[in-house]
Amino acid sequence: MRYLNILFLFLVCAPAFGQPDHLVYKIIPAPDHQDQWKEWSDSLVMARDQLKKQLDYQDSLYRDPVFRWAADCYHIYFLMLFDNAMINPESGRFEVEKFIANTEKDFGRIDGVVLWHAYPRIGVDPRNQFDHYRDFPGGLEGLRRLVDKFHEHGIRVFIDYNPWDRGTRREGREDVDLLVDIIRITGADGIFLDTLTKGSLDLRGKLDSARPGVVLESELALPANRIFDHHMSWAQWFDDSHVPGILWNKWFERRHMMHQIKRWDHDHTAELQMAWMNGSGMLIWENVFGTWMPWNERDKSYLRLMGPVQRTFSFLFRGEGWSPRYPVMMEDVFSSLWYDDQYKLWTVINRSDERKKGMLMKIPCTENMRLYDLFRGTEIGCQDMDSAAISIDLGPRGLGAILVTENTGTAIGLEQFLKSQKKSYAAMDDRVETIIPSDTLINQGNWKPCNKFPGNMVRIEEFPEEIEVSYMQRECGFYRHDGYIPPPDRIHQLVKFTKKINPVKFAIDIAPVTNAEYYDFMVNSGYYPVDSSNYLRHWTSGKPSPELLDHPVVYVSLEDARAYAEWAGKRLPSEEEWQLAAQGKEGLVYPWGNAFDPAKCNSGQSGGTIPVMHFPEGRSPAGCYDMCGNTWEWTESERSDGHTRYVIIKGGSWFKAEGSDWYFQGGPQPSGYSAKYILFWPGLDRSSTIGFRCVADVND
């Protein structure tokens, strides 16, 4: 009675001492000894029944046919929309078929994708999370076409909601209504609730009215009293016992889908085993907001074997026949039994770092009974008519599956399934090392040195041997440097490092390029970008208004800035050149000195940009204006790891999103501060807070 009493107190009596939202149970650990498993399992059954009664649990949303797909949505890929595996940086087009083909090669079939869009760029300018979807290539209709393309391949699509986004542009409407609008227009199937344990009841009701069948998935552990209207939840950073426990929400509602995820891990064995023992799914996440965290080949191989079993026998994994700890005859090997009146399926895991080969269990044998190894795709067969001795061969920390049935399996395509599994097993790759690609600095070509410089440039000829660079450690990471520690360590902390430099003499514009100067470039060069989304959005009828002529030009992409520089016979400054011009050989913290002074820069007092020479007292030692505040500035520092393109921007701007550490670091910044700005496509890259200035090489 020991486990029964403990579980009864834990699951049923505990709510009397707190609010219903405190009903958060992640994993119910299992006892260490097999002779206690029966009592433990019985207590789980009782606790489940009692809690359902206490909550007056209603499963109508799970019985509704429009939601039935969610119980079979096992494996979801977390897709950063800027990932170059998805968007071609040259053409700006989404290559859905290529992405799906590559994903299936690595992981097998995926059931869904999360289309992540705003973070970690949100906060660099006033655009809110919904603006980031609207500025998607082709707008919301373009997003609809992307959703339709995934639907053609049977893949469900989730958008995400960031409830912490309160410091950007407000629209005078509630987030719930804006979310529902995007769902209605795009045809997305679900909403991922970032940083939340649950969505609002209001959201659930409005979604059902607008488009039935849209599911909610929480990032944080979902309270038991909201399982009824949340068909999915993450099992994020759940730690299991050596004898596997059970995911409570999955035990409570067998049709509730949970996705295991530890996004910073290189070894996903623990997640795979937890999913396998609980009939639940995986979140596949490699591009973590701009930091590449690839899966190893072994984990990918196991997921390719798991997925077909889960989908073929989904009627078992979402059914009521579940014995969570079935006794076996091998040490450190554990099993769950899933069954109905025709099939018995054991999911098996090896917790040991050693190979386990031998007898797993004995079961009664009948005349027509057939046994299959579902990973190897082979039939095992009964050894005698009294009992079937089931043997298994599990690799270190491996997984397996055994099926017993008297059914021919014709209805579920068993014969073809076994052939496919046999082929997949033969391609098993046991390599566990992961290779993190290096960021490559993209060279944009050479410019000829200049002999003469216009009066709006100053020469920079004296340099220190090294400079100190700082950046905010964020989940998107930074380029590699001496002493670099990748995320998640030191998240939201300022990191500093020294960098040896060997620049050549150069000249730099004393001020950012203005709207008037950029207009002159357009008139005389005929330049117009192929993709003009948000290009010079602040202009009217193709011209800057008179009051903006001496303001820094904004809403220009990195490519637009390069085009201007090339026309002017110049180039964009490197990250180091920009910093040298801002801080001088003395290495000043700010262009004017070592203490911040809001009277010497545009730190947002005007609610927008101001003339580039408005603060003469804020000039750098070289005489440069506007190197702190007003606008961030592009530098020639584009890098790529093959998945994420980004550039370093410098100087800070007038805008700072308040209220959350998740925002891009805004406001005026010290001269040594560098910010990683992820490049997506021109319409999103063009910003109201990013401008540029040019440099030219000095030819002595």
Side-chain angles (χ1 to χ4, degrees), residues 431-458:
R431 288 178 294 166
V432 295
E433 62 276 1
T434 55
I435 299 174
I436 307 298
S438 300
D439 294 348
T440 301
L441 188 62
I442 298 174
N443 186 352
Q444 291 300 319
N446 299 315
W447 282 260
K448 293 181 179 180
C450 295
N451 296 313
K452 296 181 180 179
F453 302 97
N456 64 350
M457 299 188 82
V458 294

Side-chain angles (χ1 to χ4, degrees), residues 232-265:
M232 297 182 176
S233 60
W234 279 17
Q236 181 171 222
W237 292 309
F238 283 16
D239 291 322
D240 205 353
S241 47
H242 180 70
V243 178
I246 60 116
L247 294 170
W248 174 255
N249 288 357
K250 172 68 175 179
W251 175 261
F252 182 82
E253 171 53 78
R254 308 296 165 77
R255 295 160 293 185
H256 182 80
M257 178 54 66
M258 302 184 72
H259 294 109
Q260 274 59 226
I261 175 62
K262 292 183 178 181
R263 61 179 179 255
W264 297 112
D265 285 13

Side-chain angles (χ1 to χ4, degrees), residues 69-70 73 76 111-116 133 147 156-160 183 188-192 215-217 232 259:
W69 64 270
C73 193
I76 294 180
D111 303 299
V113 291
V114 176
L115 301 182
W116 191 272
Y133 274 132
V147 171
R156 299 287 181 164
V157 178
F158 296 73
I159 62 170
D160 81 282
I183 286 289
D189 305 287
I191 301 174
F192 165 64
V215 305
L216 300 175
E217 179 161 19
M232 297 182 176
H259 294 109

Side-chain angles (χ1 to χ4, degrees), residues 568-583:
K570 306 176 186 181
R571 58 179 173 83
L572 297 182
S574 68
E575 173 192 359
E576 296 80 12
E577 288 171 334
W578 192 101
Q579 183 168 331
L580 289 168
Q583 66 185 26

Side-chain angles (χ1 to χ4, degrees), residues 361-398:
M361 66 181 80
K362 286 186 176 182
I363 61 172
C365 191
T366 62
E367 182 178 356
N368 297 319
M369 190 170 75
R370 305 180 75 173
L371 289 77
Y372 302 93
D373 184 323
L374 296 183
F375 271 23
R376 285 176 168 77
T378 57
E379 185 168 0
I380 300 173
C382 289
Q383 294 182 359
D384 58 62
M385 292 304 296
D386 295 324
S387 66
I390 300 176
S391 296
I392 199 165
D393 186 354
L394 297 170
R397 299 179 300 124

